[in-house]
């Protein structure tokens, strides 16, 4: 089979490695992929949002199945376009990807179908937003409506900060068109859990839970990033909470999307907060998370391609989705300065054992050398019988990945370890 994977980060590298465990998979094309993915797939320099280029390539290369991994091509309708030329895809059509593409849409969906989430107001006019902020409970959370690369969320600790954030988004176009509509919502407290779930629009099969580490610095300090590391499973996510999430959140969300005529298939990502009033949805993503995928897929014992195809064919109920009982930890190496400014172009070297455990995110090949080309550069994953051993082994393997100006957090998994004791 010829498989097409759209995207070029560590998540896509993890997806490709898992897909290749199926002996039926002959060729994997990654559009655009990256310098590290090139060791496992044929990378073609067509950008993930170049839908015309993607469709042309797919039509000319006998693609049997396509996996659209990032949010923006999903929201732009990549699946719709590929389906139109007869190529089955993993991932939602654009009318369902809106669950991530518009926070106003997802908040209204949750309100209409009584799915637990933070209380909120939506504003399209700055004066009304400012008026609301005069009496809003503080801290408060300000979110740009559209996709903003995970940076469109501000937790305002004071009224002044809230006013500044809303003004930046609505009047100063800090997030471009994404910020012309803002959601102002209640500040929730509690441990966060990421749950990725396979769905064919009828049944939901959650994957093993995970914990992201979004802040750049140790002890959750510094700026929000795309994620500096992950562990799975998340010790806060007990069997009882999982049951409750299935009944109160997962199944109602799938039913709500069906009722709206926006059937969702693919991977639905539930960003949850376990508050004292029960689990609540912080956000939906219409895709695998990054770097959650780098700990979740290595624990998947069932064949990934078979499960993905079942979400497309509507046969997920009959398809086994089995995870190992072990623990996984992924440690990200980033370019020093990320998520703000950083230098690129440093050579990356890896020991053989580190290479086998490492998913490459921000790197390019130049004259046979692998050079850093992004903020998050690599993610190294280890699996072990205990969380403690998985963390130790991930750090040990990550020591085998070297480049100038490399930066990593030193406490990935420590919070999970505390919670599990
Ligand atoms: P998001 O991009 O929506 O995942 O938000 C980024 C991060 O901001 C989340 O992972 C949370 O840590 C935090 N966050 C978002 N919404 C809220 C909220 N209502 N209350 C508290 N923290 C939040
Ligand atoms: N790790 C969070 C995300 O993929 O959005």
């Amino acid at each position: 089979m010829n498989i097409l994977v759209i995207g070029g980060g560590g998540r896509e590298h993890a997806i490709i490695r898992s897909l290749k465990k199926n002996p039926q998979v002959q060729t994997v094309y990654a559009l655009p992929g990256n310098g590290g993915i090139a060791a496992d797939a044929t990378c073609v320099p067509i950008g993930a949002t170049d839908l015309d280029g993607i469709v042309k390539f797919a039509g000319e290369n006998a693609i049997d199945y396509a996996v659209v991994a990032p949010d923006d091509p999903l929201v732009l309708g990549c699946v719709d376009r590929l389906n139109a030329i007869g190529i089955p895809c993993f991932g939602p059509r654009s009318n369902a990807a809106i669950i991530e593409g518009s926070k106003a849409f997802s908040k209204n969906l949750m309100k209409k179908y009584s799915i637990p989430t933070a209380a909120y107001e939506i504003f399209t006019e700055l004066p009304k937003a400012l008026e609301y902020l005069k009496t809003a409970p503080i801290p408060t959370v300000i979110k740009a409506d559209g996709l903003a690369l995970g940076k469109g969320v501000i937790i305002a600790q004071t009224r002044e900060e809230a006013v500044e954030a809303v003004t930046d988004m609505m009047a100063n176009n800090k997030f471009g068109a994404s910020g012309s509509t803002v959601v102002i919502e209640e500040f929730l407290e509690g441990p966060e859990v990421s749950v990725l779930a396979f769905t064919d629009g009828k049944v939901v099969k959650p994957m093993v839970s995970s914990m992201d580490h979004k802040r750049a610095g140790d002890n959750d300090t510094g700026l929000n990033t795309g994620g500096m590391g992950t562990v799975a499973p998340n010790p806060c996510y007990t069997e009882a909470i999982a049951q409750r999430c299935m009944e109160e959140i997962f199944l109602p969300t799938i039913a709500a999307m069906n009722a709206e005529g926006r059937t969702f298939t693919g991977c639905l990502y539930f960003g949850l907060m376990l508050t004292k009033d029960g689990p609540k949805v912080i956000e939906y993503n219409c895709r695998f998370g990054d770097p959650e995928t780098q700990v979740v897929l290595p624990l998947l014992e069932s064949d990934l391609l078979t499960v993905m195809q079942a979400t497309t064919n509507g046969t997920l109920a009959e398809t086994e989705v089995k995870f190992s009982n072990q623990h996984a930890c992924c440690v990200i190496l980033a370019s020093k300065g990320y998520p703000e400014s950083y230098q690129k172009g440093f050579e990356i070297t890896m020991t053989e054992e580190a290479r086998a455990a490492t998913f490459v995110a921000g790197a390019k090949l130049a004259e046979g050398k692998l050079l850093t080309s992004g903020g998050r550069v690599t993610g190294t994953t280890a699996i072990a019988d205990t969380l403690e051993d998985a963390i130790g082994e991930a750090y040990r393997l990550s020591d085998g990945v070297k480049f100038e100006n490399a930066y990593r957090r030193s406490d990935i998994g420590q919070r999970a370890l505390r919670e599990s004791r």
Side-chain angles (χ1 to χ4, degrees):
M1 285 181 77
N2 295 331
I3 311 282
L4 182 62
V5 174
I6 307 299
R11 163 185 59 199
E12 287 76 5
H13 200 178
I15 291 172
I16 289 168
R17 287 236 178 111
S18 287
L19 286 171
K20 286 182 69 181
K21 291 183 190 161
N22 182 323
Q24 280 182 303
V25 173
Q26 285 152 340
T27 308
V28 180
Y29 295 104
L31 273 56
N34 67 45
I37 290 177
D40 292 293
T42 305
C43 295
V44 183
I46 296 176
T49 55
D50 176 5
L51 299 197
D52 290 338
I54 291 168
V55 170
K56 183 164 180 291
F57 179 87
E60 289 169 352
N61 287 277
I63 299 301
D64 298 294
Y65 193 69
V67 178
V68 184
D71 47 1
D72 29 7
L74 288 165
V75 172
L76 289 170
C78 192
V79 169
D80 310 56
R81 293 280 305 272
L82 288 168
N83 286 170
I85 61 164
I87 297 175
C89 294
F90 181 78
R93 289 170 162 260
S94 120
N95 75 346
I98 191 174
I99 198 164
E100 173 169 6
S102 165
K103 291 197 193 287
F105 170 86
S106 61
K107 294 299 291 190
N108 286 335
L109 185 86
M110 288 186 269
K111 186 185 270 180
K112 182 169 171 188
Y113 295 93
S114 305
I115 297 165
T117 188
Y120 70 101
E121 298 285 338
I122 296 174
F123 297 95
T124 52
E125 291 168 41
L126 180 62
K128 288 196 177 148
L130 293 178
E131 187 59 35
Y132 172 80
L133 283 179
K134 283 185 183 156
T135 54
I138 297 294
T140 190
V141 183
I142 320 266
K143 299 187 175 185
D145 175 49
L147 298 176
L149 298 172
K151 293 175 194 143
V153 175
I154 308 285
I155 314 249
Q157 301 291 349
T158 63
R159 221 167 282 284
E160 293 69 37
E161 255 182 77
V163 167
E164 189 185 319
V166 165
T167 310
D168 274 349
M169 284 184 199
M170 300 189 83
N172 305 339
N173 282 326
K174 190 157 178 197
F175 299 103
S178 290
S180 58
T181 298
V182 301
V183 177
I184 302 182
E185 69 176 37
E186 172 198 6
F187 175 73
L188 298 178
E189 280 177 283
E192 278 187 71
V193 182
S194 305
V195 180
L196 320 186
F198 291 109
T199 176
D200 59 359
K202 296 183 283 191
V203 299
V204 186
K205 296 211 169 169
M207 301 179 221
V208 61
S209 62
S210 52
M211 183 189 286
D212 195 1
H213 297 68
K214 285 201 168 127
R215 300 298 198 93
D218 281 358
N219 302 314
D220 297 322
T221 54
L223 293 171
N224 254 322
T225 70
M228 293 298 295
T230 32
V231 294
N234 184 324
C236 306
Y237 193 70
T238 60
E239 199 49 54
I241 292 172
Q243 181 91 26
R244 208 169 153 186
C245 289
M246 181 58 92
E247 285 161 19
E248 295 175 15
I249 296 173
F250 305 162
L251 291 171
T253 301
I254 296 304
M257 291 297 276
N258 285 333
E260 294 292 310
R262 297 174 181 273
T263 297
F264 189 102
T265 69
C267 172
L268 187 51
Y269 168 133
F270 299 90
L272 305 171
M273 200 165 268
L274 309 180
T275 75
K276 60 177 179 8
D277 305 320
K280 295 192 180 183
V281 177
I282 291 275
E283 63 162 350
Y284 293 115
N285 291 328
C286 65
R287 51 167 176 90
F288 280 104
D290 188 339
E292 285 88 345
T293 308
Q294 291 91 312
V295 283
V296 168
L297 289 187
L299 293 173
L300 178 66
E301 289 180 341
S302 311
D303 175 55
L304 178 61
L305 180 63
T306 306
V307 176
M308 285 184 158
Q309 287 177 312
T311 69
T312 314
N313 300 337
T315 53
L316 192 59
E318 304 94 87
T319 305
E320 188 184 54
V321 180
K322 193 167 179 287
F323 283 86
S324 143
N325 292 325
Q326 290 178 292
H327 297 258
C329 174
C330 175
V331 174
I332 300 286
L333 281 189
S335 301
K336 200 167 160 199
Y338 171 75
E340 296 189 294
S341 60
Y342 48 83
Q343 284 181 283
K344 304 184 226 184
F346 299 113
E347 183 173 1
I348 306 164
T349 60
M350 293 186 226
T351 60
E352 269 321 301
E353 64 167 355
R355 187 183 306 277
T358 296
F359 304 112
V360 177
K364 63 175 186 187
L365 277 174
E367 291 163 11
K369 288 182 180 166
L370 194 59
L371 305 180
T372 64
S373 70
R376 289 189 292 176
V377 177
T378 55
T380 302
T381 297
I383 293 177
D385 288 338
T386 65
L387 175 60
E388 196 164 13
D389 287 350
I391 296 168
E393 184 64 0
Y395 273 97
R396 191 187 68 76
L397 287 165
S398 160
D399 286 338
V401 182
K402 293 208 161 30
F403 57 92
E404 225 173 282
N405 273 7
Y407 167 76
R408 71 184 183 193
R409 273 180 61 162
S410 67
D411 65 341
I412 302 302
Q414 293 305 321
R415 177 162 181 197
L417 212 48
R418 285 195 298 276
E419 300 279 357
S420 64
R421 279 183 182 135

